Amino acid sequence: MTYDPVEIEGRWQEAWAEADLFVADEQSEKPFFYALHMFPYPSGDLHMGHVEAFSLADAVARFARLRGHEVMNPIGWDSFGLPAENAAIQRGADPKAWTYANIETHAATMRRLGLAWDWSRRLHTSDPAYYRWTQWLFLELFKAGWAYRRDANVNWCPNDQTVLANEQVVNGACERCGTIVTKKALTQWFLRITAFAQRLLDDMEQLQETWPERVLTLQRNWIGRSEGARVAFRIEAPGLEPEDVVVYTTRPDTLFGATFFVVAPEHPHARAWAAAGGVTEEFDAFLQRVQRQTDVERQASEKAKEGLFLGVYAINPVNGERIPVYAADYVLMEYGTGAIMAVPAHDQRDFEFARAYDLPVRVVVAPEGAELDGATMAEAHVGEGVMVNSPGYDGLDWPTAKQALTRDLEERDLGEGSVNYRLRDWLVSRQRFWGAPIPIIHCPECGLVPVPDEDLPVLLPPTEEVEFAPSGESPLATHALWSKVTCPTCGGQARRDTDTMDTFVDSSWYYLRYISPGREDVPFDAEALRRWMPVDQYTGGIEHAILHLLYSRFFTKALHDLGHLDFVEPFTRLKSQGMVVMQGAKMSKSRGNLVEPKELLAEYGADTMRTAILFAGPIEDDVDWADVSEAGVFRWLSRLARLVDEHVEAGGDGQADEELRRATHGAIAGVTSDFVAFKYNTVIAKLMELTNAVSSAFRERGVRGAAVQQALETLSIMLSPIAPHLAEELWHRLGREPFVAAQSWPTFDPALLVEASKQVPVQVNGRLRDTVTLPVGASRADAEQAARESQNVTRHLESREVVKVVWVPDRLVNIVTRA
RNA sequence: GGGCGAGUGGCGGAAUUGGCAGACGCGCAGGAUUCAGGUUCCUGUGGCCGCAAGGCUGUGGGGGUUCAAGUCCCCCCUCGCCCACCA
């Protein structure tokens, strides 16, 4: 058998390891290239999604190496997290042992895939040597005022018994386990990502060309900048001093259409107003009812809006009108100021509420000739409402009215232009065990005291001393001694913080640790940092478009401001790959549609698997494994191996073959640009095409020797980022010294352009009539003459009068005649 | 409700961005090898007409611009993804 993948792959994997081929050389003279992929979480063994992600990452790195870069292509594991702890709860496994056993399983399969990782930089976020610096980073943020504690009504997962960040709540359910999330009032740690909201938006400018538009859009929507105004309404309540309450609105231009005022039930003043209005009992019942609801219930779109008139009134600052104040469940305390002016004619939600509670609808008239805004209810419900103008703003279109009103509010000191963001601060504390302990000491005398640098890391206690069963309390708090500590400031009795950090903290800076993973004195070596950062090419799943990428960008900016980094964006270029599914559904054990990489590796080998998954379609699209033809890819690789063997055996003298040379150089040009554009499916198609060309030259035209040799060598080099083992093997069988991975990318021969001739179609009135051979770069006159002289064309022209001749250089001649 | 994107053979998908539509692979059909199946190797393969040469037609539907449209413009249809009481 010419192609025995298992034997070939094992042999070359050993040879590569022996030669330390993929260890990045810090002393290199070549330009440095940091190829990064999103490091895996170690649960079980690798699945097909990993195979795709790693095939992509490896192709990127190997191609960069062939193009003459010194490449760093590191590997590590995001090894803190809930699944390890759940395994401990469900099966009594030690989360640490479970995690590190999985890592070894991963590593073994990775080696079997022949991935060109730089294993010398391997890291695990659950190693004390790593999380020591995660804790350092937390303290840096703490000292800068960007990590803080506050009471909050937080997202609580009743199943995982821990709080969740907003970003980890998907459709009101826990991102991990799918349980409906409830609310709980707790004191928690937050990171002040909102302080960076505008910069996170602005700096996307520099990613515009190099990140997928889709990811940028998702991030923009997530940050959710909106422009409007803050306007003060005076609240008049019997027995209370008049008081200004600020609302946020994106539509100050509809101020004249406000017919009532709404606050969130949780609004700090709501209860006092209810008391003044004489509805305390009703209010308390209402508040209780609202708070018992989960977010999903409260936000269900088909649900009727509920509210309560508080018996007090607000004064509209622009017209002095007195409007009733309601508490309603559709106004959220977390956004804006927790209070709104309701303009039912111009807002769907206000309109629904107005209908339910029989409140007036008043349309603010759009100026003559101005288009109605998309959100307006005016057109649909004009019959129900009264039409009003905005006195003094007539004749202005909406945007101008908005500007003018905002300016006037500012001048009259009634309000101000204001920008709001949907983004909230990042809740990072978790009541779980398997994570980096928050390095803070709670001292009754000194308050929150950072653990001194020399006492880092704050180590997790041995797992057997901890109670994992969820109790709503941190497992670390169940340990008899762990949290007891003396205050580093005053020496008194104090208590360690028993929460651990969200694992997204660990993964938001790992790319910096890869730079110098061995350093014990600093998180990253400053000089090496300048060599490698920012990352040249980042690859990973689209599912991280928001969380991981946004947090990493935030950390980079924070570290920049603290003087640790001299750049503000961590990832210069980003490519996101799609998911691997099976028959349209996500692969999973329970669905029974799992395809195990192990079985395919044994049957076809790593090269076939890697090639097949990249050949399936554009890398950013989802791949349906049902459409993947590993047998077809295997046939191609076998055919190629056989062709090489036959060529080597046949020998022969060095005849040049123009056709083969052109096919080879055409492939070089096409494959190179496709590699640059991540079009691996067409890269592979072109390599197959070249294989067919070599095969027909060899078999049908009897070409022997140097011409075939050169084509096959070129093919081997171009194949090596995709199917590295076979490429290496063919290179070897062709009589070259190892390693193909150390060669240079073949260059296209421009001389070919000058010498080459092209088959150019000739049309008469747009219909193909003939094909003529013209030198590349031929002039219009040459082309026209050749076209007119061709027999088929002469026949079709007959005696018709030629109106014009269209000449698209190297592509087409079209002779247009009078009808 | 808002935002983004996509519709090309039986299937996955190509098309140098306005220039020979369907590259490459799968599948299918016929043939060779084989006792047979599998493997492997040829040949064919958008549809319609034709023995053939060849012709007509064809990129969700309709209209338009152009010598030339899968690609650009207008209208319509269908599907997918993301966000969503965010004021």
Side-chain angles (χ1 to χ4, degrees):
Chain A
M1 196 180 183
T2 1
Y3 183 41
D4 176 359
V6 175
E7 185 275 325
I8 289 171
E9 290 172 3
R11 184 150 42 79
W12 286 109
Q13 281 159 19
E14 264 177 52
W16 293 335
E18 189 82 14
D20 270 346
L21 205 59
F22 304 114
V23 175
D25 177 7
E26 300 277 347
Q27 316 305 327
S28 177
E29 302 282 301
K30 298 176 189 172
F32 292 90
F33 188 98
Y34 190 172
L36 181 73
H37 66 272
M38 294 176 187
F39 65 162
Y41 177 81
S43 62
D45 200 352
L46 298 182
H47 52 70
M48 275 303 166
H50 288 121
V51 176
E52 186 188 24
F54 299 154
S55 301
L56 165 66
D58 207 39
V60 167
R62 286 178 183 266
F63 179 67
R65 190 181 306 276
L66 290 168
R67 295 282 295 233
H69 291 97
E70 186 61 38
V71 173
M72 169 160 73
N73 187 24
I75 180 67
W77 280 269
D78 185 16
S79 51
F80 267 140
L82 265 176
E85 208 165 330
N86 288 340
I89 295 160
Q90 285 155 21
R91 284 170 270 159
D94 178 340
K96 188 172 166 183
W98 182 88
T99 300
Y100 285 86
N102 282 340
I103 289 176
E104 287 316 313
T105 309
H106 267 202
T109 310
M110 284 175 181
R111 288 180 203 279
R112 181 63 194 82
L113 280 167
L115 299 163
W117 301 148
D118 179 351
W119 288 93
S120 73
R121 291 171 190 267
R122 172 175 180 169
L123 60 80
H124 317 118
T125 58
S126 57
D127 288 350
Y130 182 89
Y131 72 74
R132 180 237 183 283
W133 295 109
T134 306
Q135 291 172 337
W136 167 85
L137 200 146
F138 180 90
L139 291 177
E140 286 289 293
L141 296 175
F142 177 73
K143 289 166 194 167
W146 292 327
Y148 66 98
R149 249 166 93 81
R150 73 169 156 90
D151 293 334
N153 208 18
V154 298
N155 304 304
W156 177 263
C157 175
N159 180 52
D160 291 339
Q161 293 272 316
T162 187
V163 303
L164 299 171
N166 284 320
E167 287 84 340
Q168 289 163 327
V169 180
V170 179
N171 293 329
C174 173
E175 179 196 45
R176 285 211 168 270
C177 67
T179 310
I180 297 297
V181 170
T182 59
K183 290 284 182 181
K184 201 166 177 176
L186 288 171
T187 308
Q188 297 289 327
W189 284 100
F190 290 84
L191 298 186
R192 213 179 287 282
I193 189 171
T194 52
F196 293 82
Q198 192 56 50
R199 284 166 64 192
L200 286 165
L201 276 178
D202 292 343
D203 291 345
M204 275 187 225
E205 192 73 24
Q206 52 184 285
L207 308 174
Q208 203 59 51
E209 301 300 315
T210 50
W211 279 37
E213 186 53 43
R214 205 175 145 211
V215 173
L216 295 176
T217 305
L218 284 172
Q219 293 216 355
R220 260 186 221 110
N221 292 345
W222 190 263
I223 296 167
R225 183 191 153 102
S226 76
E227 284 178 38
R230 297 164 80 89
V231 187
F233 279 63
R234 177 147 300 184
I235 304 294
E236 288 180 346
L240 296 176
E241 285 291 303
E243 183 182 8
D244 280 345
V245 173
V246 174
V247 302
Y248 172 74
T249 175
T250 54
R251 296 294 306 276
D253 45 317
T254 63
L255 260 164
F256 288 92
T259 54
F260 54 102
F261 188 97
V262 190
V263 295
E266 301 89 346
H267 195 280
H269 296 344
R271 195 162 189 281
W273 294 334
V279 289
T280 310
E281 266 177 49
E282 293 91 330
F283 177 78
D284 286 345
F286 176 61
L287 181 63
Q288 256 195 12
R289 204 162 61 241
V290 169
Q291 284 189 330
R292 258 203 313 275
Q293 293 174 342
T294 60
D295 275 4
V296 223
E297 287 164 351
R298 183 165 168 182
Q299 294 172 10
S301 49
E302 65 280 7
K303 176 183 152 295
K305 292 166 177 41
E306 267 190 82
L308 178 74
F309 175 48
L310 296 180
V312 303
Y313 292 86
I315 307 300
N316 186 337
V318 294
N319 56 10
E321 195 182 355
R322 203 160 161 265
I323 56 177
V325 176
Y326 280 75
D329 58 356
Y330 78 98
V331 173
L332 307 174
M333 200 53 226
E334 293 89 50
Y335 187 80
T337 61
I340 64 159
M341 62 164 194
V343 187
H346 297 265
D347 183 281
Q348 179 73 42
R349 297 152 301 173
D350 294 345
F351 182 75
E352 282 168 26
F353 191 82
R355 274 209 158 161
Y357 289 82
D358 205 19
L359 291 155
V361 175
R362 193 192 297 147
V363 179
V364 180
V365 179
E368 197 71 37
E371 276 180 42
L372 288 173
D373 53 313
T376 193
M377 299 289 107
E379 244 181 334
H381 306 293
V382 78
E384 310 185 23
V386 179
M387 311 276 281
V388 295
N389 286 312
S390 301
Y393 304 94
D394 303 338
L396 304 177
D397 59 14
W398 290 121
T400 315
K402 181 172 166 178
Q403 272 179 14
L405 252 153
T406 307
R407 199 180 49 238
D408 291 353
L409 287 169
E410 280 174 1
E411 274 170 18
R412 293 161 59 195
D413 211 20
L414 299 171
E416 56 183 2
S418 171
V419 171
N420 237 289
Y421 301 92
R422 207 190 74 114
L423 185 70
R424 313 284 157 78
D425 275 342
W426 174 16
L427 170 51
V428 291
S429 44
R430 295 289 180 276
Q431 292 68 53
R432 302 303 306 221
F433 168 77
W434 193 234
I438 290 175
I440 293 285
I441 291 164
H442 299 259
C443 172
E445 298 301 319
C446 318
L448 298 174
V449 182
V451 172
D453 199 63
E454 61 271 22
D455 293 344
L456 295 180
V458 176
L459 288 170
L460 287 169
T463 47
E464 60 274 13
E465 295 173 17
V466 177
E467 179 55 54
F468 292 109
S471 62
E473 205 183 13
S474 302
L476 289 176
T478 67
H479 192 278
L481 300 170
W482 190 83
S483 65
K484 290 187 179 149
V485 69
T486 54
C487 172
T489 311
C490 69
Q493 277 242 331
R495 188 179 60 77
R496 283 193 193 287
D497 198 300
T498 52
D499 285 356
T500 54
M501 286 182 241
D502 181 4
T503 53
F504 276 102
V505 177
D506 309 325
S507 58
S508 294
W509 75 282
Y510 74 107
Y511 46 91
L512 296 170
R513 189 59 182 167
Y514 275 143
I515 301 289
S516 47
R519 286 292 289 267
E520 289 178 8
D521 53 336
V522 288
F524 29 80
D525 180 283
E527 201 186 319
L529 195 74
R530 270 191 290 280
R531 271 200 285 278
W532 296 108
M533 286 297 291
V535 170
D536 293 281
Q537 181 63 56
Y538 198 21
T539 56
I542 189 75
E543 67 273 17
H544 291 114
I546 300 174
L547 306 184
H548 164 63
L549 290 170
L550 196 66
Y551 295 152
S552 297
R553 296 182 59 221
F554 158 48
F555 271 29
T556 302
K557 289 176 206 309
L559 284 169
H560 167 269
D561 291 2
L562 294 170
H564 297 294
L565 305 176
D566 57 11
F567 49 90
V568 295
E569 284 295 333
F571 314 125
T572 310
R573 300 174 67 87
L574 174 71
K575 191 73 192 176
S576 297
Q577 89 270 352
M579 283 195 319
V580 182
V581 298
M582 184 62 179
Q583 282 156 346
K586 212 172 159 181
M587 281 193 195
S588 75
K589 237 179 266 171
S590 54
R591 278 200 190 82
N593 62 354
L594 209 60
V595 180
E596 294 280 359
K598 274 237 164 69
E599 294 165 19
L600 285 156
L601 273 173
E603 194 177 351
Y604 293 110
D607 284 341
T608 294
M609 210 157 86
R610 294 170 55 149
T611 308
I613 208 160
L614 292 179
F615 185 49
I619 196 72
E620 49 274 275
D621 293 359
D622 287 354
V623 176
D624 196 326
W625 192 264
D627 299 326
V628 172
S629 50
E630 62 274 23
V633 169
F634 184 77
R635 265 200 289 277
W636 167 51
L637 295 178
S638 309
R639 212 162 57 230
L640 177 57
R642 205 176 315 121
L643 183 60
V644 167
D645 287 351
E646 284 174 30
H647 153 71
V648 170
E649 201 176 316
D653 55 6
Q655 283 281 311
D657 183 74
E658 197 51 33
E659 200 175 319
L660 193 48
R661 179 165 160 251
R662 203 168 301 144
T664 308
H665 283 262
I668 294 170
V671 167
T672 308
S673 58
D674 285 355
F675 256 115
V676 170
F678 301 96
K679 291 164 76 173
Y680 299 104
N681 57 332
T682 54
V683 163
I684 294 162
K686 281 166 186 165
L687 295 179
M688 288 174 170
E689 209 178 349
L690 180 58
T691 307
N692 294 344
V694 181
S695 178
S696 80
F698 183 81
R699 288 181 219 284
E700 285 162 34
R701 303 209 316 280
V703 180
R704 293 288 179 275
V708 178
Q709 174 79 17
Q710 206 245 327
L712 289 172
E713 282 183 9
T714 307
L715 193 44
S716 302
I717 296 174
M718 295 195 294
L719 180 65
S720 70
I722 306 277
H725 310 86
L726 181 63
E728 202 74 84
E729 175 69 12
L730 298 181
W731 187 252
H732 180 69
R733 290 187 192 175
L734 286 164
R736 303 292 303 260
E737 288 303 305
F739 293 93
V740 71
Q743 299 305 308
S744 300
W745 188 257
T747 47
F748 172 69
D749 178 3
L752 218 56
L753 273 181
V754 183
E755 298 168 22
S757 52
K758 277 218 159 192
Q759 295 288 107
V760 178
V762 179
Q763 299 174 345
V764 176
N765 296 325
R767 280 185 196 289
L768 180 67
R769 293 305 179 195
D770 206 353
T771 306
V772 294
T773 305
L774 289 169
V776 170
S779 71
R780 162 183 278 274
D782 292 344
E784 196 174 323
Q785 192 189 351
R788 280 171 183 271
E789 280 169 5
S790 108
Q791 276 193 1
N792 278 333
V793 171
T794 327
R795 190 154 54 84
H796 278 100
L797 284 178
E798 287 165 355
S799 59
R800 282 185 281 189
E801 185 195 348
V802 174
V803 178
K804 67 170 170 178
V805 176
V806 179
W807 166 233
V808 183
D810 301 338
R811 289 225 193 282
L812 173 118
V813 185
N814 184 17
I815 301 170
V816 184
T817 68
R818 199 167 299 267

